[in-house]
Amino acid sequence: MAFSDLAQYPTAIELLQRCLDRGRLAHAYLFTGAALEPLEQVARTLAMTLNCQQPPRRGRAGLALDCCDRCAVCRRVAAETHPDVLWVRPESKLRLIRIEQLVPRKESKRRPLSDLIYQKPAEAQVKVGIIVGADRMNPSAANAFLKTLEEPPADSLLLLLSTEPDRLLETVVSRCVRLNFAEAIGPGRNPELLAWLGRFAQMAVTEQGTVLSRYRLLSILLEQLEATKQQLELSLRRESPLARYEAQQTQAPEPEARSRARTRRAEPSEPLELEADLRAQWEEELKAAVEADYRRQRADILSMLQWWLRDVWLLTLQQDSTRLAFAELAQASAAVASRISPTQAEENLRVLESTQRLLNTNIQEALALEVGLLNLAL
Ligand SMILES: [Zn+2]
């Protein structure tokens, strides 16, 4: 199975592919999630991708970003018969990973994982050692394996899979890059946002890609963000102590509230000054809360847009429409897809990803969004 067929973990897989794109894969990953089977699938696909003979696409660093799922190497990795991909699984009644599965032991004839890592590969470019249920390593096995985990040779990769990462030794966890595959599946289905996305998609269809139309799309997005911020501001202000305080100010001042306010500070001071202080503090807290919630909701809105652009991309590849995230927008998505190439559609996904990244820096929001939307091919 290729990464393109593993759509249920978009974030984690995108992260992996971004590392491949830059040629900067870590030497050890810890994949965590609710069940081992999907983690095994991701590990298998990564091992295939690193050694595939006919990868469908390559990244900037020349590494494959996905596997073909058909060549002889892919087939052998999938069947677990490839000599340079070694699976280690819990064994025996106790379901434990024993020390001889990981490092050489005189009394054992089996090939330990460290042999795969330190010996020359039979044929692979990257040797891959996969420990399924890594939390089942007993402490002596885990300790014996630490050195291998710390400095494996450059042509090897270790993948530890665990549904109970809390049971792993801290020394093991700290030597791996952790990727979580437990995320929610697919985009959110908030009705208000769905309606907004429908308007956005419809506008994209009718406007046919001029610069002016791009600004219209931008303004649809900005309006939604502005409305989101106002709603948050209103609802959070209602919950903030400021609202109660202001209500009291407009009615008769309540002595109890004032004395309560005074106890917040160690030193007594003039009531008026104190109120101003406290008020400023509440305003500050409210502002921070609005900002934090707003950033989260803005990310949700952009992620929804990204899912829609993914639909458009799938349609440029003539994929069947059952895989769309927004079946209700299939017509608009198909209309846009008919105008652009798969490469442009894929580039759109990258544009939105980098917009999301930009927004997390200090750059001005409107500027980041403008650059992002003007670069979309629609
Ligand atoms: Zn292949």
Side-chain angles (χ1 to χ4, degrees), residues 71-96:
C71 71
V73 171
C74 280
R75 283 208 304 269
R76 277 187 296 149
V77 175
E80 298 188 14
T81 56
H82 196 288
D84 298 314
V85 179
L86 187 67
W87 294 78
V88 172
R89 291 189 164 89
E91 290 179 356
S92 80
K93 270 191 202 145
L94 291 173
R95 311 285 309 139
L96 284 177

